[in-house]
Amino acid sequence: MRELIKLKRFLKPYTISAILSMALMVVMVGLQLMLPRMIQRIVDLGITPGNMTIVWQTTLVMLGISLLNMAFAVGNTTLAVRVAEGYARDLRKDLFNKIQSLSFGNLDRLHTGQLIVRTTSDVTSVQHAVRMMLSLSVRALMLLAGSLILMFSTNSQLAVKLLPFMLLILVLIVIFAGKLQKLFTAVQQKLDKLNNVLQENLSGVRVVKAFVRAAFENERFSEANEEFTQQNIAAMRLMAVLMPLMKILLNLGTVSIIWFGGMEVIQGSMTIGQIMAFTNYLMTAMFPMLMLAMIIGMLAASEASAKRINEVMSNKPDIQDRPEAISIEETNGRLVFEDVCFSYNGKDCAKPVLNHINLVAEPGQTVAILGSTGSGKTSLVNLIPRFYEVSSGRITLDGVDLRDMKRDSLLAQIGIALQETVLFSGSVRDNIRYGRMSANDEEVIVAAKASQAHEFIMSLPEGYDSRIEQRGANLSGGQKQRIAIARALLLKPRILILDDSTSAVDVDTEAQIQDALEKAMKDTTSIIIAQRISTVLTADKIIVLDNGRITAEGTHAELIKNSPIYQEIYESQLGNGLKKATEVTGN
Ligand code: TTP
Ligand code: MG
């Protein structure tokens, strides 16, 4: 219950509805508890002395009570549903906002697939718990207490005789509740596993098909599916045992009431009506106990869900503005790395991904980063928008430590095209405008022209209004990249970061993009990551990254003279290439 209780703040806006719903429930239970008394009255004052008026009157009153109860039940359910639905909506909203506020580091640790489950089925499961609490549990507890009290007030001696019997039932139910709790928790776990398999498979469905692994994936899914089914069956089996067992006990109870009560009736110390009321109270006491057993079992599943929701909620974004952080309006774009170390697991710089990086990018300069895969290029540029925080050293913009700036104001200065292009479903125009929805068509076209995307966009059936499918499925890799570049350019940033953004674009188009960028981004500090050396030839500064260290730095002309490692890359890409080309053409 601890985890569920932690979420109680979400009930606050619905306090009045919740209280009202419970109040209705109290009235309903009160009315329900009156019914056995009425039966007693019919038997003892109506049937036994042969007074038909009392029989009729009481029957009508009972009918009235039942109708009233029905009306109250509708009210109670409506209110409870409203509370639970509102609660779930607010919870989902908060979870979503929370996830949006988290940093890259946080998100690395909470897997995105699981986040979907947490915002959907976990919330539903907790919502279930709220509904049960609001309607069932109150009802069950009150019926139980009420009927016990009324049993004692009807005939305390008989009630005392039944006490051991009821204790036995209670013990049984506690045992069953414990078992059910385990089973339901296991059901939830199997469901999680099923969700995980499904999530992973669906997001990678193309790879599954490409590698003809459908059969394997089918098996994996079937296994999870089967486990889930079996676990559910096991839980239901226990319930199936519980029900008839309770029936037997109930019948035994009824028999003992008639046995002990019958003797009292013979002795004249009890009436038949009282016996009937008694058996009725026993029934009204038993079913709530059964209900409680089930509620306890199900609460366990909700508890597991609540725990996972709280796990997300309790995440503190590891990148937060310092209280004294300033908001920057204008920058020149002078970017300096001062002895920066960085590792993904936080503070320690023992095994850094980036090691003692010193780098100056002057305003308007283009700095190109070369380096083999895994050398830390993406990691390096990810530090500039503070997707991750440096482990040691510092990065400054116009002399101010990035950590002393409000992060939003920093991001407003940066246009970035990530290595992995992500587009959203929607029109081409909206995808380009993603960072600045207020941009007009002209601006969009200018950005698209600079990234050499305009032409192919115009050749799409609906031009800028053409729909992009989820993840940009209906575009080629190079087309996606060019839209992503346009998106970054549209911000007219002071700092432009392109992480391998032309890797899927042919060499000619790439050269055109570079020309256009040079013109459009004269005053912008550009950091460009590239695999191809042809991309970086004209850069103001080229750095070569190797294993997290800068191993060479300078212009192309300098590096080709002084840096063996650069010469090697040059040779391998262009030197040989040229040689081969000449061989083929025979020149
Ligand atoms: P990257 O910085 O991604 O290397 P890269 O950009 O130079 O490589 P590529 O050319 O293929 O894009 O990775 C450097 C190391 O950091 C590598 O060992 C993987 C690790 N890493 C993480 O642990 N978590 C991350 O989120 C990323 C991006 C990298
Ligand atoms: Mg990379």
Side-chain angles (χ1 to χ4, degrees):
M1 289 295 280
R2 274 198 14 245
E3 301 286 342
L4 277 167
I5 289 169
K6 273 193 213 156
L7 291 170
K8 72 172 187 300
R9 63 181 183 280
F10 288 93
L11 274 177
K12 217 159 171 210
Y14 308 100
T15 317
I16 295 178
S17 295
I19 290 177
L20 216 62
S21 136
M22 285 200 267
L24 277 179
M25 184 52 82
V26 172
V27 176
M28 279 163 64
V29 172
L31 289 176
Q32 197 181 339
L33 286 173
M34 276 169 70
L35 291 179
R37 273 276 190 275
M38 303 263 156
I39 294 175
Q40 184 185 342
R41 188 181 150 86
I42 289 181
V43 175
D44 286 350
L45 302 180
I47 296 175
T48 316
N51 185 343
M52 283 318 275
T53 345
I54 289 210
V55 174
W56 280 117
Q57 274 174 357
T58 318
T59 310
L60 279 179
V61 172
M62 283 177 79
L63 201 67
I65 287 178
S66 297
L67 285 176
L68 209 59
N69 235 347
M70 222 161 82
F72 284 155
V74 172
N76 164 269
T77 309
T78 315
L79 284 169
V81 165
R82 197 176 295 165
V83 172
E85 293 294 336
Y87 170 92
R89 177 194 53 209
D90 297 353
L91 190 53
R92 275 192 297 265
K93 194 171 95 196
D94 255 44
L95 264 175
F96 188 78
N97 288 346
K98 183 79 198 189
I99 294 168
Q100 297 296 317
S101 80
L102 293 178
S103 69
F104 278 44
N106 292 118
L107 293 171
D108 289 346
R109 287 187 292 275
L110 297 164
H111 309 268
T112 25
Q114 285 183 12
L115 286 178
I116 295 174
V117 176
R118 287 177 207 221
T119 27
T120 53
S121 52
D122 279 344
V123 170
T124 311
S125 149
V126 172
Q127 175 190 1
H128 248 77
V130 170
R131 269 218 57 191
M132 281 192 305
M133 293 301 234
L134 282 186
S135 40
L136 286 181
S137 63
V138 176
R139 180 157 174 227
L141 284 175
M142 280 200 52
L143 273 180
L144 186 61
S147 38
L148 283 180
I149 291 171
L150 285 168
M151 268 191 208
F152 272 90
S153 82
T154 310
N155 189 319
S156 55
Q157 277 164 336
L158 187 53
V160 168
K161 284 193 184 120
L162 281 176
L163 220 47
F165 174 73
M166 284 194 286
L167 275 179
L168 173 73
I169 296 180
L170 203 67
V171 169
L172 268 176
I173 282 183
V174 168
I175 294 172
F176 265 95
K179 279 206 156 57
L180 274 177
Q181 201 164 19
K182 278 206 194 83
L183 281 173
F184 276 119
T185 312
V187 166
Q188 189 69 29
Q189 280 164 356
K190 297 295 177 201
L191 181 62
D192 285 346
K193 192 173 162 196
L194 188 67
N195 269 329
N196 276 342
V197 173
L198 197 61
Q199 166 73 30
E200 199 178 274
N201 179 276
L202 291 185
S203 55
V205 69
R206 282 150 208 266
V207 180
V208 174
K209 288 191 182 298
F211 287 84
V212 202
R213 292 287 276 180
F216 170 78
E217 291 290 330
N218 266 340
E219 191 151 319
R220 210 157 71 103
F221 181 78
S222 300
E223 201 177 297
N225 197 8
E226 187 60 31
E227 280 175 23
F228 176 58
T229 311
Q230 291 306 333
Q231 199 60 52
N232 256 323
I233 290 176
M236 292 305 141
R237 197 181 295 140
L238 187 68
M239 301 271 263
V241 175
L242 189 57
M243 290 292 179
L245 194 66
M246 284 294 153
K247 276 238 169 76
I248 293 177
L249 287 175
L250 187 65
N251 287 335
L252 275 178
T254 315
V255 170
S256 17
I257 289 174
I258 294 174
W259 176 264
F260 293 120
M263 295 213 269
E264 305 244 350
V265 172
I266 292 168
Q267 284 163 15
S269 59
M270 203 177 168
T271 64
I272 296 179
Q274 281 180 330
I275 290 189
M276 292 191 72
F278 227 97
T279 42
N280 252 299
Y281 283 133
L282 184 69
M283 252 188 281
T284 27
M286 289 276 291
F287 277 101
M289 288 208 243
L290 209 66
M291 246 162 23
L292 279 178
M294 271 164 59
I295 291 173
I296 292 171
M298 293 203 185
L299 277 184
S302 308
E303 175 76 2
S305 289
K307 184 161 175 232
R308 287 189 306 196
I309 290 173
N310 284 325
E311 254 168 43
V312 179
M313 291 285 194
S314 64
N315 256 281
K316 286 217 170 53
D318 20 292
I319 295 179
Q320 275 172 326
D321 285 337
R322 290 180 179 172
E324 67 278 8
I326 51 163
S327 183
I328 47 163
E329 304 301 333
E330 270 294 310
T331 74
N332 295 321
R334 184 170 194 272
L335 199 61
V336 182
F337 281 63
E338 294 174 16
D339 202 30
V340 168
C341 274
F342 171 68
S343 74
Y344 280 96
N345 56 18
K347 301 281 162 273
D348 85 284
C349 237
K351 268 200 235 151
V353 169
L354 293 171
N355 209 344
H356 299 294
I357 300 289
N358 284 294
L359 177 64
V360 182
E362 298 292 347
Q365 266 192 343
T366 298
V367 176
I369 305 176
L370 277 181
S372 54
T373 67
S375 56
K377 304 182 295 295
T378 299
S379 308
L380 188 144
V381 293
N382 277 352
L383 295 178
I384 301 169
R386 282 174 61 203
F387 290 155
Y388 297 91
E389 215 82 278
V390 298
S391 303
S392 72
R394 63 175 200 154
I395 304 173
T396 61
L397 179 59
D398 292 350
V400 182
D401 192 319
L402 296 186
R403 287 167 295 189
D404 291 332
M405 300 173 181
K406 288 226 160 64
R407 187 150 174 266
D408 284 353
S409 71
L410 168 66
L411 287 175
Q413 309 294 328
I414 300 176
I416 187 163
L418 298 173
Q419 184 165 22
E420 197 182 338
T421 315
V422 177
L423 300 180
F424 295 93
S425 49
S427 68
V428 172
R429 179 185 289 106
D430 284 350
N431 264 284
I432 295 179
R433 291 195 307 186
Y434 192 72
R436 188 157 66 92
M437 286 314 265
S438 60
N440 59 31
D441 280 357
E442 202 181 322
E443 291 172 303
V444 170
I445 292 174
V446 169
K449 278 188 172 155
S451 70
Q452 307 300 313
H454 179 70
E455 226 167 278
F456 94 78
I457 293 171
M458 291 314 284
S459 73
L460 294 174
E462 286 168 75
Y464 282 86
D465 290 316
S466 305
R467 243 191 98 73
I468 294 182
E469 300 298 331
Q470 205 177 17
R471 290 162 190 261
N474 56 340
L475 294 180
S476 78
Q479 289 171 335
K480 277 192 279 195
Q481 283 190 332
R482 279 179 275 168
I483 289 182
I485 296 175
R487 181 163 67 191
L489 294 181
L490 186 74
L491 296 175
K492 304 207 180 93
R494 302 300 308 191
I495 299 171
L496 176 72
I497 300 170
L498 301 181
D499 188 349
D500 222 359
S501 299
T502 46
S503 60
V505 175
D506 63 85
V507 181
D508 285 346
T509 314
E510 183 181 41
Q512 284 164 5
I513 294 176
Q514 274 179 338
D515 280 349
L517 282 185
E518 233 158 77
K519 284 193 200 91
M521 300 273 127
K522 270 201 299 291
D523 304 325
T524 302
T525 312
S526 310
I527 314 279
I528 294 177
I529 295 180
Q531 302 284 353
R532 287 199 287 255
I533 214 159
S534 58
T535 320
V536 305
L537 293 178
T538 57
D540 299 301
K541 182 185 281 184
I542 301 167
I543 65 167
V544 181
L545 214 54
D546 183 37
N547 224 343
R549 285 174 187 275
I550 294 180
T551 51
E553 178 175 351
T555 62
H556 170 69
E558 290 163 4
L559 289 174
I560 200 77
K561 254 195 274 158
N562 311 327
S563 165
I565 187 163
Y566 186 78
Q567 287 160 0
E568 199 179 306
I569 303 171
Y570 185 82
E571 275 302 313
S572 68
Q573 288 192 13
L574 291 183
N576 280 344
L578 285 179
K579 239 184 267 157
K580 273 198 198 112
T582 27
E583 274 161 21
V584 172
T585 52
N587 296 325

